[in-house]
Amino acid sequence: MEQTPRKMMADPMLAEMGKNLNEAMKILENGEKEAELDPVIRRLSWRDIPGPLQGDGQDVFSVLQLVQNLIHDDDDKPSHRRTQYVGEQAHMALLGHSLAAYVSVLDRERLRKLTTRILSDTTLWLCRIFRYENGSAYYHEDDREGLLKVCRLVINTRYEDYSTEGFAVLSSKQPVIYQSAACRPGLGQNLCSQLGLPLSSLCTVPCNTMFGSQHQIDVALLDKLIKDDVDTGKLPLLLIANAGTPGAGHTDKLGRLKELCVQNNMWLHVEGVNLATLALGHVSSTVTAATKSDSMTLTPGPWLGLPAVPAVTLYRHEDPALTLAAGLTSSLPAEKLRALPLWLSLQYLGHDGIVERIKKTSELSKKLLEHLKTLGSIKTSVEDELNSPVVVFRFSQDTSTSSSHGSVEGYSGGEKEVLDALNRWLGEQLAQHVPASGVDVVELEDEGTCVRFNPLMTAAVLGTQEADINAVVEKLTELVPLLSCTLRFKQDFREEVYQHPALTYIEDLNWPGLGVIRYQLRSEYTDDSKRQQDLEKVNVELLKKLKEMDTDFSFSSGPEFSPEKNCIYVGIATDDLDVGALVETIASVGREIEESGKLLENMTEVVRKGIQEAELQLLKANEEKLMEEGVLRQIPLVGSVLNWFSPSQSSIKGRTFNLAAGSLDSTEETYTMKAQSGKTDPPDTPTSTTKRLPGQKLFRRSTTGSEVCSEVGSVGQPEELLREATPLPSPQEVVSHVTQELAEKPGPFESTEVPESQESDEEGSIR
């Protein structure tokens, strides 16, 4: 019976390897099994101190469970980490690494044939997919390594004696490497460091300032710089151009740059995310020009969602000896087997699958761009709206616009910093609520802080779908009005704070909220350390009370490493915000907290003086008793006999301490049922009958009437909140506080004998 080709070619070792890999992936991806693991294994985590290696070893399943614990150890913590999507094509890439280890032990001849086939197939496929004719390929882990090898190739080509004389030949004509100002940060410095060249060999060319995209290299200025270097005896060596800048995804004018490189015998290297669109049927002419470059670096791993696959640098050069000297080719099996994971993954996806994935990510960008055009206050920075796979946008509002409830006049001085802070907050919120979208925050030199959507680098890995784009747009629709209100009310908030002497406005343009304030103590202090201590206590307590209020506002202590201390950071505003009520409430609550602290200190002093006065009166009462009853009655045995024959009528009365008046009074009126009948009770704290409307949050204006809402917001809210949020200390708390301070102080209570009835009256009255 004839067997199928698959059965005839099956290797038991390869089949077992694939089976074990699938089982291992299932264990690692199944986070729900964590609860069923052995408790001893679960306790092993990255936070624990490493223990000794077990002598008898562990089985494969136990080791994989330990790895799973390390991966999912902190999954219960709240965070917005993006979950990596691993599909079947990713399993093929992981299988390639296992297979590379397996085939590395084959005999030399079989290994040579296998590696040659893998390299030739992969190089041919990539060159055809990305339209790079007659190219060779170099596979590398670090995406900068390909450019480094290319630079060595160009040095060996332009300096004929470099292989024998080394760097000595560079002194005759210093090589110059040109890069765009929009290139990856640190790329040129890394090249000079690895090549042993001085930083003077690196020339950073500015981008356009007058015409064209502000993210494209200035071709006219580059031409001038090259001529100047040639005139000074330098050798123009290589130009690094972008087909999709790291920040905004713009493409340089590669056609003109290629002509300029040909005129000056320079090497043109291109890199960027837009190179992925070369696989599509319709490609913009600016990106197509990259196929004429001398070399270009591709990153198919993130483009296709393939983990741990190498980056690829395609290049054209006819001298194999120089490519070997530059390290672009190698005879080591490990170097050649780098392409194995990519070789397996490309076969699994097929040409149509690769094109479909890249096309899908490009359509996601178009979908988002269409929605962004319908949103107000959102500006996009897209080079080619029909073909660009990178969408960069930011919140922006015309400072001349105003509202009946707020304005942005006078805020132009720090407008850029304020908008950057708001856009940074916007990007963080989108990444937190829609993590599968892959949006992130990017800092651009001209635009400032922007939100970037780069699906070619994130969609395949995160599994981004059209529903995620809709979620981003829905969240933007919710957040953009809040940002507009915050920007509109910032100036009003600052002016309101300036009107309160107890509040200080802290200028922090990096805070994405209404502003930063600090409550200042009104009392004068001679001890600065005491003042700082009380200032911290009042502001901490004020922040605590504000957080407990029934409001949609957020109050915080600010960023962890903020230079300002003892401050309250007020968050994002809403359209119906009553700025006056908000500031008045903050000032009133802070004032009440400060006064309650003073009252506690004053009452403490009053109670201390009252106790001291009570001690003096008790001493005086004991002396009067001694003079009235005589010495004999003070002798225990004799006094009892005399009191039995002739009872003594003591004229000593008890004492009561009035906390409200701060005075020590007699208890005679208490025993005659006229307890403090002549005393005037302290007036009750005035209360306001004004209440908030049903369902109305604090600091919000009502839609039923602006005057009523203003009264509710500015009068009723603070007084109501003060009564609820900052209660005064009770007399028991004051007495307890004082008695703790006087506990170790000896007094007449310890040395003088007090009559039992008098002592009872005294203690009962104070309580």
Side-chain angles (χ1 to χ4, degrees):
M1 182 177 179
E2 183 179 0
Q3 293 180 331
T4 62
R6 180 178 178 180
K7 291 183 179 181
M8 293 177 60
M9 297 177 61
D11 187 328
M13 290 294 296
L14 295 179
E16 184 69 19
M17 184 185 305
K19 178 181 178 182
N20 293 339
L21 178 63
N22 290 332
E23 293 178 355
M25 291 301 301
K26 290 180 181 179
I27 295 175
L28 296 178
E29 292 175 355
N30 187 11
E32 298 178 354
K33 290 185 177 180
E34 185 177 1
E36 304 174 1
L37 300 179
D38 183 74
V40 177
I41 298 179
R42 289 189 60 189
R43 285 197 298 267
L44 297 175
S45 68
W46 63 271
R47 294 174 298 195
D48 297 329
I49 299 176
L53 181 64
Q54 296 186 11
D56 53 353
Q58 302 183 53
D59 55 20
V60 176
F61 186 74
S62 299
V63 175
L64 290 176
Q65 284 183 332
L66 176 58
V67 175
Q68 182 197 22
N69 288 344
L70 297 174
I71 295 175
H72 302 284
D73 179 69
D74 56 350
D75 281 356
D76 56 337
K77 297 181 179 179
S79 63
H80 59 276
R81 293 192 309 271
R82 297 167 176 173
T83 304
Q84 303 294 316
Y85 174 76
V86 181
E88 292 187 3
Q89 76 279 359
H91 290 191
M92 293 299 296
L94 299 177
L95 177 62
H97 291 275
S98 301
L99 188 59
Y102 170 73
V103 301
S104 63
V105 299
L106 298 177
D107 60 85
R108 181 176 300 179
E109 183 62 23
R110 298 175 66 180
L111 181 60
R112 184 188 62 81
K113 292 181 179 180
L114 179 61
T115 55
T116 302
R117 174 63 183 272
I118 292 173
L119 285 175
S120 59
D121 284 351
T122 310
T123 301
L124 177 62
W125 298 336
L126 291 175
C127 288
R128 288 184 176 179
I129 292 173
F130 296 102
R131 309 184 182 191
Y132 199 80
E133 299 178 357
N134 302 323
S136 302
Y138 172 68
Y139 304 89
H140 44 94
E141 303 296 336
D142 188 349
D143 55 4
R144 300 173 300 180
E145 187 179 354
L147 177 58
L148 175 63
K149 303 293 187 182
V150 166
C151 287
R152 288 178 176 167
L153 174 62
V154 179
I155 291 177
N156 279 275
T157 303
R158 299 298 302 275
Y159 294 91
E160 297 181 357
D161 298 332
Y162 181 78
S163 59
T164 57
E165 298 184 13
F167 288 97
V169 299
L170 303 181
S171 59
S172 59
K173 281 190 176 183
Q174 181 181 356
V176 182
I177 299 175
Y178 302 89
Q179 68 168 2
S180 170
C183 282
R184 286 183 291 170
L187 179 62
Q189 289 79 356
N190 177 74
L191 281 177
C192 293
S193 175
Q194 296 296 323
L195 296 172
L197 298 176
L199 290 179
S200 58
S201 296
L202 178 65
C203 179
T204 301
V205 184
C207 296
N208 294 323
T209 56
M210 298 296 295
F211 305 101
S213 170
Q214 296 179 345
H215 301 278
Q216 292 178 342
I217 191 171
D218 192 333
V219 181
L221 181 57
L222 172 63
D223 188 14
K224 182 178 181 301
L225 292 174
I226 293 176
K227 292 179 180 179
D228 292 342
D229 289 336
V230 172
D231 294 339
T232 56
K234 297 182 180 180
L235 179 63
L237 196 69
L238 179 140
L239 170 63
I240 306 172
N242 292 297
T245 56
H250 290 203
T251 301
D252 292 325
K253 299 177 181 179
L254 301 178
R256 293 183 58 189
L257 293 178
K258 178 59 179 177
E259 295 175 359
L260 190 60
C261 289
V262 172
Q263 294 174 6
N264 295 275
N265 195 19
M266 293 173 55
W267 185 284
L268 177 61
H269 178 83
V270 181
E271 62 178 23
V273 66
N274 290 352
L275 293 175
T277 60
L278 290 172
L280 302 179
H282 175 71
V283 190
S284 64
S285 58
T286 55
V287 179
T288 306
T291 59
K292 304 300 181 181
S293 63
D294 298 293
S295 62
M296 63 181 185
T297 297
L298 311 175
T299 54
W303 297 349
L304 304 176
L306 304 175
V309 299
V312 185
T313 295
L314 302 179
Y315 64 95
R316 296 189 184 96
H317 201 273
E318 299 178 356
D319 193 340
L322 293 180
T323 57
L324 180 62
L328 289 170
T329 57
S330 174
S331 59
L332 297 177
E335 297 283 343
K336 296 181 178 181
L337 288 175
R338 285 180 181 174
L340 181 56
L342 187 57
W343 182 70
L344 294 176
S345 301
L346 293 179
Q347 291 186 85
Y348 179 82
L349 292 173
H351 185 277
D352 295 340
I354 295 171
V355 174
E356 182 64 25
R357 286 180 178 273
I358 297 177
K359 181 180 179 181
K360 179 181 178 181
T361 56
S362 300
E363 290 176 351
L364 292 176
S365 297
K366 296 179 182 178
K367 189 76 173 179
L368 177 61
L369 189 59
E370 292 176 359
H371 288 294
L372 292 178
K373 291 180 179 179
T374 63
L375 297 178
S377 301
I378 292 293
K379 294 184 178 180
T380 59
S381 176
V382 181
E383 178 190 21
D384 185 357
E385 295 185 355
L386 298 177
N387 302 288
S388 178
V390 181
V391 177
V392 177
F393 61 93
R394 66 184 265 111
F395 166 78
S396 180
Q397 183 168 299
D398 187 3
T399 56
S400 62
T401 59
S402 61
S403 170
S404 59
H405 307 304
S407 65
V408 294
E409 295 180 359
Y411 215 84
S412 58
E415 178 190 358
K416 184 178 184 301
E417 291 79 2
V418 172
L419 289 176
D420 287 346
L422 294 176
N423 280 282
R424 192 176 301 109
W425 178 84
L426 176 63
E428 292 172 354
Q429 291 295 311
L430 293 177
Q432 178 179 354
H433 290 89
V434 195
S437 64
V439 297
D440 60 355
V441 178
V442 60
E443 302 286 344
L444 300 180
E445 183 177 358
D446 297 307
E447 291 86 348
T449 303
C450 299
V451 183
R452 177 179 58 186
F453 178 63
N454 190 0
L456 278 172
M457 300 299 293
T458 60
V461 178
L462 299 176
T464 308
Q465 303 295 330
E466 186 175 346
D468 299 316
I469 303 302
N470 296 332
V472 169
V473 176
E474 181 179 353
K475 198 64 182 177
L476 278 173
T477 306
E478 174 186 344
L479 296 178
V480 167
L482 299 180
L483 296 179
S484 300
C485 295
T486 301
L487 187 62
R488 191 171 70 240
F489 286 125
K490 264 183 172 292
Q491 180 67 14
D492 295 344
F493 179 77
R494 179 167 55 178
E495 294 177 355
E496 288 286 342
V497 172
Y498 284 154
Q499 296 178 5
H500 289 268
L503 297 179
T504 300
Y505 186 87
I506 307 299
E507 193 73 34
D508 188 354
L509 300 179
N510 294 322
W511 173 248
L514 273 183
V516 185
I517 61 174
R518 179 189 295 122
Y519 183 84
Q520 296 291 354
L521 302 179
R522 297 178 295 173
S523 304
E524 296 183 358
Y525 287 80
T526 57
D527 187 359
D528 187 65
S529 61
K530 172 65 175 174
R531 182 183 182 281
Q532 291 296 330
Q533 183 179 4
D534 291 349
L535 180 66
E536 180 180 0
K537 289 181 180 179
V538 171
N539 281 278
V540 169
E541 185 66 19
L542 175 58
L543 177 61
K544 178 181 178 183
K545 299 301 181 184
L546 292 175
K547 288 183 176 180
E548 294 174 354
M549 294 181 181
D550 182 19
T551 176
D552 293 334
F553 254 90
S554 63
F555 302 94
S556 68
S557 57
E560 181 179 359
F561 301 103
S562 174
E564 298 292 341
K565 303 298 180 184
N566 305 325
C567 297
I568 297 175
Y569 287 72
V570 186
I572 299 296
T574 55
D575 184 53
D576 54 357
L577 170 66
D578 191 338
V579 179
L582 171 64
V583 177
E584 178 64 29
T585 301
I586 295 175
S588 301
V589 175
R591 182 167 55 251
E592 184 66 20
I593 294 175
E594 182 184 5
E595 291 176 354
S596 64
K598 290 181 182 178
L599 179 61
L600 178 60
E601 293 180 359
N602 295 336
M603 293 179 68
T604 301
E605 185 64 23
V606 170
V607 172
R608 182 183 291 107
K609 291 181 179 180
I611 293 177
Q612 293 176 355
E613 183 181 353
E615 292 176 349
L616 296 176
Q617 292 193 19
L618 287 175
L619 287 174
K620 183 178 180 181
N622 288 333
E623 293 176 357
E624 293 177 354
K625 179 181 178 182
L626 180 62
M627 297 297 295
E628 183 180 324
E629 297 180 353
V631 179
L632 292 178
R633 288 185 182 273
Q634 309 305 319
I635 302 175
L637 183 59
V638 178
S640 300
V641 175
L642 290 177
N643 289 332
W644 185 74
F645 281 104
S646 177
S648 174
Q649 299 295 329
S650 176
S651 61
I652 301 177
K653 303 299 181 181
R655 298 289 187 270
T656 178
F657 182 67
N658 191 336
L659 284 175
S663 61
L664 195 66
D665 303 329
S666 174
T667 59
E668 183 177 0
E669 295 180 358
T670 304
Y671 291 121
T672 57
M673 306 302 295
K674 297 180 181 180
Q676 301 181 2
S677 60
K679 304 293 182 180
T680 303
D681 295 335
D684 296 333
T685 304
T687 59
S688 173
T689 58
T690 307
K691 300 292 183 180
R692 283 181 283 131
L693 299 179
Q696 180 184 357
K697 294 282 187 178
L698 292 176
F699 319 132
R700 283 191 171 185
R701 296 185 304 271
S702 174
T703 57
T704 58
S706 58
E707 296 180 358
V708 176
C709 294
S710 177
E711 181 181 359
V712 171
S714 60
V715 179
Q717 290 179 5
E719 294 185 0
E720 181 183 351
L721 291 172
L722 297 183
R723 296 194 303 273
E724 297 178 356
T726 56
L728 297 178
S730 63
Q732 291 80 359
E733 294 176 348
V734 177
V735 174
S736 175
H737 178 70
V738 176
T739 53
Q740 289 179 1
E741 294 184 0
L742 300 177
E744 299 180 357
K745 177 181 179 182
F749 292 108
E750 302 178 3
S751 59
T752 306
E753 186 176 346
V754 182
E756 181 179 356
S757 61
Q758 179 179 346
E759 182 179 1
S760 175
D761 294 341
E762 188 76 21
E763 294 178 355
S765 300
I766 292 179
R767 293 194 185 96

